[in-house]
Amino acid sequence: MSAAAVPALAGTRRAWVTDLPLLLVAAVWGASYLAAKGITTPHTVIAVLVLRFALVLPALVLAGWRGLRALSGAQWRGASLLGLVLSGIFLLETYGVVHTSATNAGLIISLTMIFTPLAEAAVTRVRPPGAFLAAAGLSVAGVVLLTQGGGFTSPSGGDLLMLLAALARTVHVLAMARIKAVQDADSLSLTTVQLGSAVAVFAVLAAAPGTGPAPWTVAADFGRAEWAGLIFLSAFCTLFAFFVQMWSVRRTSPSRVSLLLGTEPLWAAAVGIAIGGERLGVWGVAGALLVLVGTAWGRRRADVTP
């Protein structure tokens, strides 16, 4: 092996160390659609969100108490701001999912792959590589084909909510990369503050009249399957996912993060086939291949911070 090849190999290994956890996040988020639909109705969205976030918050506070005490005032404010954005994402996504088809939701949320590099370019005044945009476009085209197995339904209010959720995800990723106060803080502490801020928002909404049954009322009606779904959403799709996202966005570019997380619809389809008994069909298989090719191409074209 030549001397020039050694740094390249090391760089590839460093990239995979960041990319693999993000792909796992995309996988659990893809599975979250099925889990969320199994335990949520239009009238229990707020209650389920309170339960989902509050379930892991006490353990986080205990595990990271020293780190929380070490945070500066600026870091608390920065993480709290990220938590407010996070609460908006989950409100939009959860209400959107229960008011539209899973097919539409998976397609629309994948637009984050396009929104993030465009927004990043606008903020930094640095145009993203054309090859990267082409790779993202290829992935989105693959999502279109992938989701056609279920048929694209007429646009609805839920579709608009999912579009706003995709924009909110873009804001969240960019904010994590741009807020200087959170750059050097412990990822566990930042995740805890974010989730705590989100729980506070959901708790206030749950206390307001007309927002559905109380969280404890909904929890009392849960059976084993519902509790299993809630624990999966809380521990994996919330705690693990946002810890990894906070950790990785400080080690690579927001555009790369969004591209890898944009494989979420592919994983959603895989879960639907394996658990829900769905079929992709010829166009769906072609779409899945396009997502894989587009993501792999985009990974090579995205800038990676060593």
Side-chain angles (χ1 to χ4, degrees), residues 25-225:
V25 168
V28 298
W29 274 355
S32 71
Y33 286 105
L34 190 61
K37 280 186 171 294
I39 66 174
T40 312
T41 69
H43 302 292
T44 62
V45 169
I46 301 297
V48 169
L49 286 174
V50 171
L51 294 171
R52 173 176 177 175
F53 280 66
L55 196 63
V56 296
L57 191 58
L60 275 177
V61 172
L62 290 175
W65 181 247
R66 289 185 179 180
L68 289 172
R69 294 182 63 183
L71 292 178
S72 67
Q75 289 170 333
W76 272 95
R77 290 190 294 273
S80 297
L81 177 61
L82 290 172
L84 293 179
V85 178
L86 181 62
S87 67
I89 293 172
F90 275 94
L91 285 168
L92 291 167
E93 282 188 357
T94 309
Y95 274 114
V97 165
V98 298
H99 285 96
T100 189
S101 67
T103 296
N104 284 26
L107 172 59
I108 295 169
I109 202 66
S110 71
L111 294 176
T112 305
M113 286 188 290
I114 295 296
F115 292 157
T116 301
L118 294 179
E120 186 180 14
V123 171
T124 62
R125 299 182 184 275
V126 177
R127 183 178 179 179
F132 182 87
L133 290 178
L138 190 66
S139 295
V140 171
V143 171
V144 173
L145 293 177
L146 180 64
T147 56
Q148 286 310 291
F152 190 81
T153 62
S154 300
S156 65
D159 296 332
L160 176 59
L161 291 175
M162 294 305 301
L163 179 62
L164 293 175
L167 291 170
R169 278 195 185 189
T170 297
V171 172
H172 190 253
V173 172
L174 289 179
M176 283 192 293
R178 303 287 295 181
I179 297 178
K180 294 182 180 180
V182 304
Q183 296 304 309
D184 299 324
D186 174 58
S187 294
L188 177 61
S189 300
L190 293 178
T191 301
T192 303
V193 176
Q194 280 195 82
L195 298 187
S197 298
V199 168
V201 172
F202 301 144
V204 169
L205 292 176
T211 56
W216 51 85
T217 302
V218 174
D221 292 334
F222 276 178
R224 291 183 179 179

